[in-house]
Amino acid sequence: MKEVLDFSFNEKGRDNFIHQKHYHNTCYEVIHIIHGEGSVVLKDKIYPMKNNCIYFINGMDIHYTAPNNPAQYVRSKILINSDFVENVAESTDCHDLIKKIFIQDGGICIELNEKENEIVDKEFKKMSETLKSGSYKKLNIAISLFNIFQYARNHNEEYVKPKSDKISEVLEYINKNIEKKISLDDICKNVHISKYYLCHTFKKNTQISIYDYILSRRISMAKKRLIYTDMTISEIALCCGFSSFAYFSKAFKEAESLTPKQYRKNYSKHE
C-alpha cells in the first residue's frame, strides 16, 4: 500500500466526502481547516469546524466534515497509511502520542495560534511539493508529519472540546450501548427527547439517519476486530451488536464489498 493515499493543499469548495459518512481501511487522516464553519464528526463526537484548527482522525472510525457553506470551505488534507505513521512513531519515539491523537477517541482537534497555523500550512505545502517532485518522498513526508504531530504534543490537554448538546448526548448513549439492541424508545427515554426531535435533529446535525449511524459504528468496530484480533466472526458479530451472524455478513458485505472472512484475509494484522 502507498504511504499517502490522498492529499490536497488549500483546496476550496466541495469534495466527495463533504456531508458523507465514510471510513478508510488502516489509514489515518489529518485535516487542516483554513476557512470554514460547521461541524466535524469523529466517531461518537461532534466538533466545531473552525478556522486554524487541525483534526487528527482514525480513518477506520466513521467521520465526515459538514461545512455550513461548502463553496467557501478551504482545507488541506492528508490520508496516510497507518503502518507508515507507526513507523514514523517508532523512529521518533512518539507511540503514546500517536495512540492518543488517532486511536483513543477516534481523533482529536486542536486550535492553532497564528504562528503555529502558518507553520502547519508550510508543512502541508512542503508535502505538496514533495509529492509532485517524487524525490526523497518517504523521508520528507515523515519529517513534515512529525513536525505537525508535535503541535498535538505541545497542546497536550488543550484539545478543543467536542460540542455539548442533545445530539452529543445521543451519540454518547449509542456508543455506550453499541453492543446491545438499541431502539428509538431507549434513546428517547435516556436522553429525554421526543422521537420527532431525535430523528429530525440528528439527521440535520450529522447528515445521516440514526439507524445508519448505528450500523456504520458497528461495522467500524467489526473491522477493527477482524484486523487486530483472532476472535471468530460469530463472536465479532455478537459483540458488535448484530442480531445474527447472517445479518452481520449481509450488512458487512454491502458496506465493504467483501465478506468478513475476505476482509480479514486482506487486512489482518493479528500475529
Side-chain angles (χ1 to χ4, degrees):
M1 182 182 277
K2 296 189 301 182
E3 290 81 21
V4 178
L5 288 87
D6 191 21
F7 184 88
S8 59
F9 174 63
N10 283 8
E11 182 178 31
K12 182 178 180 180
R14 288 184 170 275
D15 65 28
N16 292 333
F17 292 124
I18 290 176
H19 293 162
Q20 296 293 322
K21 70 175 179 65
H22 62 285
Y23 32 65
H24 314 283
N25 294 323
T26 61
C27 295
Y28 298 138
E29 187 169 349
V30 181
I31 301 177
H32 179 212
I33 305 296
I34 311 300
H35 179 75
E37 293 183 350
S39 299
V40 179
V41 177
L42 305 183
K43 189 179 176 181
D44 57 348
K45 296 179 176 62
I46 303 177
Y47 289 89
M49 177 184 286
K50 300 167 66 176
N51 297 352
N52 305 341
C53 278
I54 188 165
Y55 301 80
F56 298 89
I57 304 167
N58 184 342
M60 289 190 67
D61 285 311
I62 181 173
H63 61 278
Y64 53 89
T65 54
N68 295 336
N69 186 348
Q72 299 301 316
Y73 173 45
V74 184
R75 68 281 181 193
S76 295
K77 177 179 72 174
I78 185 168
L79 184 63
I80 333 136
N81 184 332
S82 58
D83 286 340
F84 179 63
V85 174
E86 284 153 18
N87 287 337
V88 172
E90 184 175 352
S91 62
T92 55
D93 195 26
C94 60
H95 279 292
D96 290 344
L97 176 64
I98 297 305
K99 181 178 179 181
K100 186 170 187 177
I101 65 177
F102 285 115
I103 300 172
Q104 286 183 353
D105 294 314
I108 64 162
C109 168
I110 64 172
E111 187 168 4
L112 305 168
N113 61 39
E114 187 175 341
K115 182 178 179 181
E116 291 172 333
N117 192 64
E118 289 177 0
I119 295 172
V120 168
D121 191 55
K122 286 179 181 177
E123 294 296 346
F124 269 97
K125 185 176 181 180
K126 287 179 188 176
M127 288 191 285
S128 178
E129 292 168 350
T130 292
L131 290 169
K132 289 175 182 176
S133 69
S135 57
Y136 302 103
K137 188 179 293 185
K138 288 185 181 181
L139 176 60
N140 289 337
I141 294 293
I143 291 171
S144 288
L145 285 175
F146 177 73
N147 289 337
I148 290 172
F149 293 159
Q150 290 309 301
Y151 289 108
R153 172 174 280 164
N154 294 344
H155 282 257
N156 197 14
E157 300 304 323
E158 299 174 15
Y159 301 146
V160 174
K161 295 185 182 301
K163 293 182 178 180
S164 179
D165 54 24
K166 280 296 181 183
I167 299 306
S168 299
E169 290 181 39
V170 170
L171 292 176
E172 183 179 1
Y173 176 82
I174 289 171
N175 284 277
K176 281 184 177 178
N177 296 277
I178 196 71
E179 297 179 5
K180 308 173 187 175
K181 181 179 179 181
I182 301 173
S183 70
L184 292 181
D185 287 334
D186 293 332
I187 298 171
C188 293
K189 180 180 177 181
N190 284 274
V191 183
H192 309 293
I193 54 177
S194 70
K195 283 186 182 179
Y196 173 79
Y197 180 89
L198 171 61
C199 295
H200 177 75
T201 308
F202 190 92
K203 182 75 177 283
K204 181 180 178 181
N205 279 265
T206 67
Q207 309 301 318
I208 59 175
S209 73
I210 195 161
Y211 285 118
D212 197 13
Y213 175 81
I214 292 170
L215 178 59
S216 296
R217 283 288 297 119
R218 286 175 170 161
I219 293 291
S220 177
M221 290 171 59
K223 287 166 65 177
K224 291 179 185 178
R225 285 166 172 77
L226 288 167
I227 290 174
Y228 295 108
T229 77
D230 62 354
M231 295 171 65
T232 68
I233 295 175
S234 295
E235 289 171 336
I236 291 172
L238 183 64
C239 79
C240 291
F242 289 93
S243 56
S244 70
F245 174 79
Y247 173 50
F248 169 57
S249 296
K250 180 175 182 292
F252 193 94
K253 188 168 184 180
E254 287 179 355
E256 296 297 321
S257 300
L258 294 169
T259 66
K261 184 177 180 180
Q262 290 168 333
Y263 185 90
R264 169 170 272 171
K265 182 179 179 180
N266 287 357
Y267 297 105
S268 178
K269 293 186 179 181
H270 180 75
E271 297 180 358

